[in-house]
Amino acid sequence: MFIRGDHAELVVGGRLDVRSAADARTVLHAAVDNGVGDLVLDLSELDSWDATGLGVIMGAHRRAGRCGRRLVLRGVPPQMQRLLVATRLHRILAIEGGIGLESLRV
């Protein structure tokens, strides 16, 4: 897993899972705490995430809200869009461009 960027926009790539969750949490929380306005997470280079990785994203979302910021997901890969729809988290998280529900049909 890698994260590059600053307190306004971060690109997350690789696997966001139980092994990388602690490092990801640290970076995301620092970005939330040290910036203002929207924090954009570009997930277009993310290969996969598990429940722990999704929990890190939700934790950053809650922390951003407490800091008066908004976490915005960009470039969410289709397989991860499916998970967000299945868990109904697409209704809670800000997703740039929304979820392409027509492309999620199996």
Side-chain angles (χ1 to χ4, degrees), residues 46 75-85 99-100 103-104:
L46 193 63
V76 181
Q79 67 273 22
M80 288 166 230
Q81 288 184 24
R82 285 186 199 91
L83 180 60
L84 292 176
V85 170
I99 295 281
S103 66
L104 298 179

Side-chain angles (χ1 to χ4, degrees), residues 1 15-22 24 48-54 56:
M1 190 252 348
R15 295 174 53 100
L16 182 54
D17 56 20
V18 68
R19 287 171 285 186
S20 60
S48 65
W49 61 14
D50 66 6
T52 307
L54 185 54
V56 169

Side-chain angles (χ1 to χ4, degrees), residues 13 25-26 28 55 67 70 79 88 96:
R25 185 178 299 108
T26 300
L28 292 177
C67 292
R70 187 174 72 134
Q79 67 273 22
R88 296 182 179 238
E96 190 175 86

Side-chain angles (χ1 to χ4, degrees), residues 40-59:
V40 176
L41 288 186
D42 184 333
L43 304 179
S44 59
E45 297 182 36
L46 193 63
D47 297 326
S48 65
W49 61 14
D50 66 6
T52 307
L54 185 54
V56 169
I57 298 289
M58 291 307 299

